Amino acid sequence: MFDGLNRRVVSLWFPKLASERVLRVRPVEAPFALTILQSNANRLYCLNARAERHGLHRGMSYSDARAFCPDLVSVPVDLHGVQRFQHVLSRWATRYCPWVGLEGNDGLVLDVTGAAHLFGGECGLLNDIRQRLGRAGITVRIGVGDTRGAAWALARYREGVASAGDMLGALETLPVAALRLTEQTDQALQRLGLRSVGDLATAARAPLARRFGRDLLMRLDQALGNQPEDISPLKTPPHYGVRMSLPEPIGLVSDVMAGTERLLQRLCLSLNAGQVGARVLNLSLRRVDQESQHIELRLARPLRDAARILPLFERGVAEVDAGYGIDQMRLEAVRVEPLPPQQVSHARNGSHKDKLEDLVTRLGTRIGIENIQRFLPADSHIPERSFIISPAAYSEPGGVWNSAKPRPVVLFPPEPITGQGARPPDFFRWRRMSLATGRATGPERIAPEWWFSDDNWRSGVRDYWKVETKQGRRLWLFYTPQNPGWFVQGEFA
């Protein structure tokens, strides 16, 4: 691809990436460390410079660290957040070259072959990287070489630039661990007296291959340039967005809906090609005065059917202030989910389900789609644990409501009433009402689930009664024989 040019690779190592990600948002003027749970013990994962000056180090147990440094500030590490931040840095690094790959969970590798002259040479390129990362508060160590392995070794063991064509000269004094070897292989080589890359390069290859396998010599050859090693750039995620500029400004709702329909048709073709459906859509309407109006549509299910989506925009479009007119429209699928093709036949009729999902979407635009919830059955005989509440847009109705005894429609925290004995009281007061028992059905004994710690069930077993009062109330009462008392917990319809 780059005939006549020596390949040059830049390795960027961020030794404090995880902690600096947190400190950029919430600065701490004290020793700081991120912790991680390993082997049932809290250990330090990433530290700032202040913590290291107190003698703390990565892998140290948290209890020992607090003994050394009582002022230590710590939070658990968010590994997914660190990974996202590393991906952000990889996209930023494409300003220097198109070939940017990840190096572990705390580094990047760049193939800058033929690109360094755009920044005034390698020196200018490296200075620009340091300055920009320094302003962002990110510590970086940089290694440059003809190979990925050489750049990796220099970034982590002796920051510097290897002369073109002389990888052995740059690496020969570095420890063998700089070849990206496993800890076991590194220790075994140390015991054999092969402590540096130079020692390993001059040793007989056949005995090493028999004892350590091909991986050891492959790592050595990759670092010295005798065996190629590719850099795989991250795949750019697909972008689902369409835009339309108008020759004349528009302002009527019918015109805006017609433009939205054209955008939807184009967008749905892209969604169909990617076999995904939109969950969140954003329609941006730019006015002639450069102000923009935004309409967000959160769908109850992933969709790519323009005919179904279009009517759901009507309410939002009707509320738009067009001002002196709209001259540009942009529609973007902000969030998408997989939606594989489905078999369609005359025997399958999903119209009722589709109408329910569209209704949830319409209501969600007014009150928030997360506020439309459904009850789902749960496998528990404890009344308050026999169901879960889930957003209707992110769950499917499922399961069977199995109950040997009837359950009240309304449940609430137990409310004490006055009563004596194991049978429901003839007269009692509840919520400032004087009630008289007409008919009582029970008892149904329910024992607490011993594998859950629940303060509400510390009184032991409960004997539930269905009580119909003479005043018309149908209540669910229970009695606690181990700690005598009466309570009301529900009401039947």
Side-chain angles (χ1 to χ4, degrees):
M1 182 176 179
F2 299 102
D3 294 337
L5 295 178
N6 290 326
R7 189 190 190 203
R8 297 297 279 174
V9 179
V10 175
S11 179
L12 305 181
W13 179 40
F14 310 108
K16 297 180 174 58
L17 181 67
S19 60
E20 289 173 344
R21 167 184 168 270
V22 178
L23 295 175
R24 289 175 72 246
V25 180
R26 189 181 62 184
V28 175
E29 297 298 329
F32 176 82
L34 296 176
T35 62
I36 188 171
L37 185 63
Q38 290 181 337
S39 302
N40 295 324
N42 247 350
R43 299 190 178 276
L44 302 189
Y45 180 79
C46 192
L47 307 82
N48 67 352
R50 287 174 179 256
E52 291 177 343
R53 286 197 291 269
H54 282 76
L56 309 185
H57 57 85
R58 184 169 183 168
M60 188 178 191
S61 70
Y62 179 69
S63 56
D64 291 344
R66 289 301 301 268
F68 277 96
C69 181
D71 298 332
L72 179 66
V73 179
S74 65
V75 295
V77 63
D78 178 9
L79 295 178
H80 293 292
V82 176
Q83 185 181 43
R84 291 194 300 270
F85 189 46
Q86 186 185 16
H87 281 243
V88 170
L89 289 175
S90 70
R91 291 195 296 271
W92 165 81
T94 56
R95 73 186 312 273
Y96 299 105
C97 66
W99 294 88
V100 179
L102 301 183
E103 196 74 90
N105 56 8
D106 57 1
L108 300 176
V109 56
L110 291 70
D111 190 337
V112 297
T113 307
H117 71 280
L118 301 174
F119 300 88
E122 286 185 0
C123 184
L125 184 144
L126 299 183
N127 288 337
D128 189 74
I129 292 176
R130 292 184 189 278
Q131 291 175 5
R132 292 179 182 274
L133 291 175
R135 288 195 295 267
I138 300 174
T139 303
V140 63
R141 295 185 60 180
I142 304 176
V144 183
D146 291 351
T147 65
R148 182 175 182 174
W152 187 94
L154 291 172
R156 286 158 176 78
Y157 289 88
R158 191 184 64 201
E159 190 175 14
V161 179
S163 301
D166 186 20
M167 295 304 100
L168 180 58
L171 304 180
E172 60 182 351
T173 60
L174 299 184
V176 289
L179 296 176
R180 298 173 289 174
L181 305 178
T182 63
E183 185 177 355
Q184 293 81 0
T185 302
D186 178 30
Q187 292 175 355
L189 290 172
Q190 297 280 354
R191 288 194 293 267
L192 292 175
L194 301 175
R195 296 183 173 83
S196 67
V197 176
D199 294 337
L200 187 63
T202 56
R205 296 173 65 93
L208 292 175
R210 284 195 299 268
R211 179 161 184 171
F212 297 99
R214 61 183 298 273
D215 290 344
L216 172 62
L217 297 179
M218 180 189 68
R219 286 302 190 189
L220 176 63
D221 290 338
Q222 286 177 342
L224 299 182
N226 299 325
Q227 185 168 330
E229 185 178 8
D230 294 332
I231 297 175
S232 300
L234 291 176
K235 184 178 179 180
T236 304
H239 175 72
Y240 298 102
V242 289
R243 185 193 304 268
M244 179 171 60
S245 297
L246 303 170
E248 294 291 338
I250 60 174
L252 297 178
V253 173
S254 59
D255 294 338
V256 177
M257 289 298 295
T260 304
E261 182 179 11
R262 293 182 61 182
L263 292 176
L264 265 174
Q265 291 172 350
R266 292 165 51 194
L267 179 63
C268 288
L269 289 176
S270 299
L271 295 173
N272 187 60
Q275 294 191 9
V276 295
R279 281 303 292 264
V280 181
L281 292 165
N282 184 44
L283 177 63
S284 300
L285 306 174
R286 193 188 70 181
R287 305 188 313 197
V288 294
D289 60 359
Q290 302 304 309
E291 292 291 331
S292 295
Q293 302 279 312
H294 300 277
I295 304 170
E296 185 181 71
L297 182 64
R298 302 171 70 87
L299 301 172
R301 289 289 181 273
L303 291 177
R304 56 170 179 257
D305 185 352
R308 283 187 61 189
I309 299 175
L310 181 62
L312 304 175
F313 273 108
E314 289 179 351
R315 182 174 180 271
V317 171
E319 297 177 352
V320 167
D321 179 12
Y324 293 103
I326 296 168
D327 62 359
Q328 188 180 91
M329 303 175 64
R330 185 174 185 272
L331 181 63
E332 179 184 5
V334 179
R335 178 183 169 190
V336 297
E337 293 182 4
L339 186 62
Q342 297 179 348
Q343 181 69 36
V344 178
S345 68
H346 67 280
R348 181 179 178 271
N349 185 5
S351 60
H352 296 294
K353 182 180 179 182
D354 294 345
K355 291 179 181 179
L356 176 60
E357 294 170 355
D358 292 347
L359 175 62
V360 171
T361 299
R362 290 180 185 274
L363 294 175
T365 59
R366 300 188 180 189
I367 64 175
I369 201 165
E370 292 83 3
N371 295 324
I372 305 173
Q373 300 173 332
R374 63 159 51 99
F375 291 87
L376 299 174
D379 186 15
S380 177
H381 60 269
I382 302 297
E384 52 267 39
R385 294 196 192 128
S386 61
F387 65 91
I388 57 176
I389 301 176
S390 178
Y394 302 102
S395 62
E396 291 284 349
V400 180
W401 294 90
N402 293 322
S403 178
K405 301 288 185 178
R407 292 289 183 258
V409 176
V410 179
L411 276 176
F412 41 79
E415 300 175 0
I417 60 173
T418 303
Q420 300 292 332
R423 293 190 61 83
D426 295 332
F427 299 94
F428 59 93
R429 286 185 61 82
W430 174 65
R431 294 185 179 179
R432 299 183 181 180
M433 294 182 290
S434 297
L435 303 174
T437 300
R439 184 173 66 176
T441 305
E444 177 192 355
R445 174 160 289 188
I446 298 179
E449 296 171 335
W450 56 266
W451 53 92
F452 286 116
S453 178
D454 191 342
D455 293 338
N456 295 326
W457 282 79
R458 290 189 181 278
S459 57
V461 299
R462 297 178 181 180
D463 291 336
Y464 279 88
W465 294 77
K466 179 181 179 182
V467 174
E468 299 180 16
T469 66
K470 295 179 180 180
Q471 289 75 20
R473 296 278 184 174
R474 303 170 69 235
L475 304 176
W476 208 34
L477 279 63
F478 70 83
Y479 173 70
T480 53
Q482 294 173 330
N483 187 15
W486 279 96
F487 301 85
V488 182
Q489 192 179 1
E491 186 170 9
F492 292 89

